[in-house]
């Protein structure tokens, strides 16, 4: 004991502790952070499975490397190319995706049983497959993109089996470490980021694959038609992005109902957002082909109508809406109207430019709406009063 320090006893309402997930028997610690007092629970020692975050991906990567070495030896592949069939790249993508998926599922299930992880505990089992597939898709895109870049940098490069095994172990280790870290740290913000990555990467890949067909001379929906190359990529991106939106909406409103009472306003907002997500997926489910042309135009028009209802109704439907967000929403609505009238009356911008700009603005506004809902989940709608009692003397360590 280095000395004595005068203390002030603070009385905090029990309701506030319950919202923070703190019991009366929990040990608390007080920190000074950015000119603010932060009271938080002293977390117990991390369980053993979290202490081996480095060992797990390393062990799995080494086993994958040994299996790949055996495959190359059995198939008499020597030397081993960087890309192509039976290459370092192809085996790394397979090993990384398979082992990464298994580790993600295992560690996510562990965090779901962790009382400290509120996000995982509020995820319904019906949403779990969509989240898992989303991370697998991102990992697969990352690995394919990495080896595509390496192929451009080192064309026709080859390695011996042992060096190839070491490279495979290295790439697989980073892939598995990413999946474990994602399973342990996933939250609503990361889910929004995943939604953005899936939509942007899927659309960019579809555009790049059809660049030689001059798709921009038609419209954005051309990427999902039979005339485009790999149209399934564009349509699958829209459908899967819609599923991710439904997962995010489900989590946000389940969490929001624990703070704000469920009313017709929040229920209406949830229904409109869910219909928007379903309609967005329907745009990819019914491509702008001859068979589904009328249905594609119908769901696309319905998507515009739903967005207008959301922008206009956010004033009454969103709890604790701020003036800044309200004026921002109205500004987005005005810009969309100007783009619409400019295209229909003056032919400027072009159809493709109009669709891309309108989509980017609308999607950006939806992400800000999700961010605002997440902020409401983290905020406390009530101002809680604390009481400072007479100072007392406590003996503390001088840290």
């Amino acid at each position: 004991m280095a000395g004595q320090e005068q203390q002030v006893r603070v009385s905090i309402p029990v309701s506030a502790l319950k919202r923070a997930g703190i019991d009366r028997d929990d040990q608390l610690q007080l920190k000074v952070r950015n000119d603010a007092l932060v009271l938080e629970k002293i977390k117990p020692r991390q369980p053993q499975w979290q202490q081996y975050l480095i060992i797990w991906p390393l062990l799995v990567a080494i086993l994958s490397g040994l299996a790949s070495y055996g495959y190359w030896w059995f198939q008499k592949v020597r030397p081993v190319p960087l890309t192509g069939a039976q290459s370092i790249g192809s085996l790394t993508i397979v090993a990384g995706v398979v082992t990464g998926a298994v580790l993600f599922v295992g560690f996510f299930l562990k965090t779901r049983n962790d009382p400290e992880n509120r996000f995982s505990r509020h995820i319904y089992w019906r949403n779990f497959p969509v989240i898992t597939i989303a991370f697998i898709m991102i990992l697969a895109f990352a690995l394919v993109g990495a080896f595509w870049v390496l192929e451009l940098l080192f064309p026709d490069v080859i390695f011996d089996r042992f060096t190839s095994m070491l490279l495979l172990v290295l790439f697989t280790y980073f892939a598995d470490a990413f999946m474990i870290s994602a399973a342990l740290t996933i939250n609503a913000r990361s889910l929004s980021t995943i939604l953005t990555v899936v939509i942007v990467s899927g659309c960019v890949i579809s555009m790049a694959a059809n660049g030689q067909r001059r798709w921009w001379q038609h419209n954005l929906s051309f990427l999902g038609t039979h005339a485009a190359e790999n149209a399934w990529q564009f349509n699958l991106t829209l459908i899967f992005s819609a599923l991710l939106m439904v997962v995010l909406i489900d989590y946000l409103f389940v969490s929001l109902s624990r703070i704000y009472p469920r009313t017709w306003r929040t229920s209406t907002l949830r229904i409109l957002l869910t219909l928007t997500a379903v309609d967005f997926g329907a745009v990819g489910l019914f491509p702008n082909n001859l068979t589904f042309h009328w249905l594609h135009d119908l769901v696309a028009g319905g998507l515009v109508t739903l967005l207008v209802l959301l922008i206009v109704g956010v004033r009454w439907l969103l709890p604790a809406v701020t003036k800044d967000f309200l004026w921002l929403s109205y500004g987005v609505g005005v810009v969309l109207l100007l783009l619409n009238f400019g295209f229909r009356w003056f032919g400027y911008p072009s159809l493709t430019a109009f669709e891309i700009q309108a989509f980017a603005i609308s999607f950006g506004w939806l992400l800000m709406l999700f961010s605002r809902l997440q902020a409401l989940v983290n905020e406390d709608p009530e101002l809680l009063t604390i009481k400072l009692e007479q100072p007392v003397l406590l003996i503390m360590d001088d840290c």
Side-chain angles (χ1 to χ4, degrees), residues 331-353:
V332 168
V334 170
V335 172
L336 290 176
L337 286 176
L338 291 176
L339 287 174
N340 179 66
F341 291 143
F343 166 72
R344 296 186 183 278
W345 291 352
F346 306 105
Y348 182 84
S350 63
L351 176 57
T352 304

Side-chain angles (χ1 to χ4, degrees), residues 19-77:
R19 288 179 190 148
I22 298 175
D23 298 326
R24 291 189 177 186
D25 297 332
D26 292 334
Q27 293 183 339
L28 307 179
Q29 60 184 0
L30 185 66
K31 296 181 180 179
V32 179
R33 185 181 301 161
N34 296 329
D35 297 329
L37 296 179
V38 179
L39 185 66
E40 60 185 12
K41 186 192 306 185
I42 299 178
K43 296 182 180 180
R45 185 179 179 183
Q46 289 185 338
Q48 189 176 19
W49 57 271
Q50 284 187 350
Q51 295 178 358
Y52 293 115
L53 288 181
I54 298 179
I55 295 178
W56 271 104
L58 182 60
L59 177 62
V60 173
I62 291 175
L63 293 177
S64 301
L66 293 175
S68 300
Y69 186 90
Y71 173 81
W72 287 321
W73 180 82
F74 182 78
Q75 294 292 331
K76 298 181 181 179
V77 179

Side-chain angles (χ1 to χ4, degrees), residues 112 122-132 243 246-247 249-251 254 270:
R112 199 174 191 278
H122 293 169
I123 288 293
Y124 291 118
W125 288 113
R126 63 175 178 267
N127 297 328
F128 176 66
V130 178
I131 296 176
T132 303
L243 293 176
V246 172
V247 172
I249 293 166
D250 197 15
Y251 163 76
V254 168
R270 180 176 184 174

Side-chain angles (χ1 to χ4, degrees), residues 319-338:
V321 62
T322 62
K323 289 185 178 180
D324 292 341
F325 186 78
L326 193 59
W327 285 110
L328 176 65
S329 301
Y330 292 158
V332 168
V334 170
V335 172
L336 290 176
L337 286 176
L338 291 176

Side-chain angles (χ1 to χ4, degrees), residues 149-220:
V149 173
L150 290 175
E151 183 181 14
L152 295 178
L153 295 176
F154 307 101
D156 302 325
V157 66
I158 55 176
F159 300 94
D160 61 88
R161 291 173 184 166
F162 183 75
T163 304
S164 301
M165 182 189 70
L166 293 180
L167 290 173
L168 186 142
V169 169
L170 180 64
F171 283 107
T172 306
Y173 169 79
F174 284 116
D176 292 340
F178 164 76
M179 294 297 278
I180 293 177
S181 176
L184 295 176
T185 60
I186 184 173
N187 52 36
R189 180 174 297 179
S190 62
L191 201 58
S192 299
T193 304
I194 295 170
L195 176 61
T196 305
V197 170
V198 170
I199 290 181
V200 173
S201 60
C203 291
V204 169
I205 291 174
S206 300
M207 292 176 186
N210 291 275
Q212 70 275 16
R213 290 178 176 263
R214 299 182 182 273
W215 63 270
W216 60 87
Q217 295 182 354
H218 302 273
N219 50 52
L220 188 62

Side-chain angles (χ1 to χ4, degrees), residues 2 29 88 120-121 148 166 175 309 318 336 344 378 381 389:
Q29 60 184 0
I88 300 173
S120 298
R121 289 189 290 116
W148 177 71
L166 293 180
L309 290 175
L318 182 64
L336 290 176
R344 296 186 183 278
N378 295 332
E389 299 182 358

